[in-house]
Amino acid sequence: LSYARAAQRDFALLRNLARAAPARDGDAAAAVMIAELARDAGAADATSAVRLLVKETVENLRVAAERDLPPDLSERTRGLMTRVERLRQPVLERLAPGVAPRATGPLDEMTIVAEELELFVQDLAAEGFRVREQMGWQVRRAAWTIAAAVAAAILVAICASLLLGEIVARQVHAAADYSDRVASGELQRRVSVHGSTELASLMRSLDRMREAIRLQIGQIEELRLRAERMVDSMLPASVVARLRAGEKHIADARVEATIVFLDLVGFTELSRRFGAAHLVETLDSIFRRLDDAASRHGVEKIKTIGDAYLAAAGVTGDTLPDDAARCAAFALEARDIVRATGADLGYPLDVR
């Protein structure tokens, strides 16, 4: 899933680069934007950036396809790789100097590919959720298997203890109590064993088994929580809830919806004046305040794209008569938030 997300980010940058092609030669603003996008891609110029972004997008998709995906997802990944490869030359021609009018064909195709990438990432997230559920069942089954093995070993020990006297009997009872605690999930308690008898060795083995189980369960839980946080950060909360409820293919039709797209004005110039850490902190502060404003107005945040913010009403929930009014109120408050942040920084920031 992380490789697929990386491919989606690289392709989004490639798409922005294609969109930035000037409408006519000598367009200084377009040239500056193209240079900035090339730097974001880690390239010296637009041509190098296009080749690098196509290569990285295809490579990330290739690595994702090698991760034991279901056949349908693997086939979709290979199809996306082929389509991205075919876009290299049309995008280079669109950015070449002296080309007028600029061809729109690559942009239309790139829009389709971007939408298919988004659906692919959603389906991949759903597949990851299914795999996590399956892993949870395997862990529970393994725990019961281990508990059954421990119980069997204790039964053998109890039979032997009948011949070893009262001291061995007490140790057996202690081992039984300890194994019951392990089987019931009490994995933090250690046991102190002295002596070199077979029963003492068994108790030490049980303790080592308990510690191994505790560590493995902790690692699995950490991976599960990390995967859930990743899914929560990528998808709207309503979509995540439906995925966890068992839906596999989420596609809703809306007759009406209201979309708010906010683009920070002046942020590019601000990035030249501040260090990377301060810049990221400022952008995070703005987006957090926008999240709060969206929640107050009943508007759903969809995603952030660089220094842009996308929100909507009536997309994942019911369409309401005041969707447009709430979105407009949110947009006005967003403008005030951005301007206030610019005033605090001593730099004019605005929102478009």
Side-chain angles (χ1 to χ4, degrees):
L1 184 61
S2 63
Y3 283 109
R5 292 298 298 176
Q8 190 179 32
R9 289 193 297 270
D10 291 336
F11 188 78
L13 187 54
L14 177 66
R15 187 182 176 198
N16 289 339
L17 194 60
R19 286 175 172 173
R24 62 184 184 282
D25 290 336
D27 189 338
V32 170
M33 182 176 293
I34 290 174
E36 290 177 355
L37 291 170
R39 282 196 301 272
D40 291 342
D45 53 42
T47 299
S48 301
V50 170
R51 292 193 175 98
L52 177 62
L53 289 171
V54 169
K55 178 182 177 182
E56 290 184 351
T57 301
V58 172
E59 178 63 18
N60 281 321
L61 287 173
R62 183 189 65 78
V63 175
E66 294 174 352
R67 292 300 192 270
D68 295 329
L69 297 181
D72 59 330
L73 289 179
S74 294
E75 184 65 26
R76 287 169 62 185
T77 307
R78 288 190 289 271
L80 286 169
M81 291 166 60
T82 301
R83 296 179 71 175
V84 173
E85 285 277 9
R86 291 175 179 170
L87 283 169
R88 179 192 291 111
Q89 190 59 34
V91 175
L92 287 173
E93 292 174 356
R94 178 178 171 80
L95 292 171
V99 177
R102 304 288 172 179
T104 60
L107 297 183
D108 297 336
E109 175 66 12
M110 293 177 89
T111 298
I112 296 173
V113 173
E115 292 173 352
E116 292 186 3
L117 265 173
E118 179 67 25
L119 290 174
F120 173 73
V121 170
Q122 290 182 10
D123 290 345
L124 200 58
E127 177 66 15
F129 183 79
R130 184 191 66 79
V131 170
R132 286 197 305 276
E133 289 294 317
Q134 184 177 7
M135 288 175 58
W137 165 246
Q138 291 175 348
V139 169
R140 290 191 294 271
R141 185 172 59 183
W144 282 109
T145 301
I146 293 172
V150 171
I154 293 173
L155 288 174
V156 173
I158 291 175
C159 292
S161 69
L162 296 176
L163 304 175
L164 297 177
E166 184 179 354
I167 296 177
V168 176
R170 285 198 299 266
Q171 293 179 342
V172 169
H173 290 309
D177 178 70
Y178 182 67
S179 64
D180 288 340
R181 292 176 181 273
V182 172
S184 64
E186 188 177 334
L187 300 175
Q188 301 297 328
R189 181 179 176 181
R190 298 182 61 88
V191 63
S192 178
V193 180
H194 303 284
S196 57
T197 64
E198 288 81 3
L199 190 55
S201 299
L202 174 61
M203 291 290 288
R204 282 189 285 268
S205 296
L206 288 174
D207 192 58
R208 288 192 295 269
M209 183 184 300
R210 175 205 58 79
E211 183 65 15
I213 294 172
R214 186 185 67 82
L215 293 176
Q216 290 176 2
I217 291 177
Q219 292 170 356
I220 292 172
E221 180 65 13
E222 181 180 354
L223 290 174
R224 184 186 66 80
L225 293 175
R226 187 184 304 172
E228 288 187 353
R229 287 194 297 268
M230 185 180 298
V231 171
D232 290 341
S233 67
M234 289 189 303
L235 301 175
S238 59
V239 175
V240 173
R242 291 169 66 181
L243 285 174
R244 288 174 178 165
E247 284 192 59
K248 294 184 178 180
H249 304 291
I250 298 178
D252 298 327
R254 292 289 183 266
V255 177
E256 293 181 354
T258 307
I259 309 298
V260 183
F261 185 82
L262 306 175
D263 184 28
L264 297 186
V265 179
F267 196 82
T268 300
E269 182 61 29
L270 184 67
S271 66
R272 299 191 180 98
R273 301 180 55 180
F274 292 95
H278 190 187
L279 192 67
V280 171
E281 181 180 354
T282 300
L283 193 60
D284 181 67
S285 174
I286 292 174
F287 284 163
R288 286 179 182 275
R289 295 175 67 184
L290 291 180
D291 289 346
D292 294 338
S295 178
R296 284 194 299 274
H297 292 286
V299 177
E300 182 175 20
K301 171 187 174 182
I302 302 300
K303 64 167 64 177
T304 58
I305 312 162
D307 60 354
Y309 189 99
L310 180 63
V315 173
T316 59
D318 294 333
T319 301
L320 300 177
D322 63 339
D323 280 350
R326 287 186 286 105
C327 284
F330 163 67
L332 292 174
E333 184 174 350
R335 177 197 61 186
D336 296 338
I337 290 172
V338 173
R339 288 178 178 176
T341 302
D344 293 340
L345 295 173
Y347 182 83
L349 279 180
D350 210 333
V351 66
R352 180 170 50 240

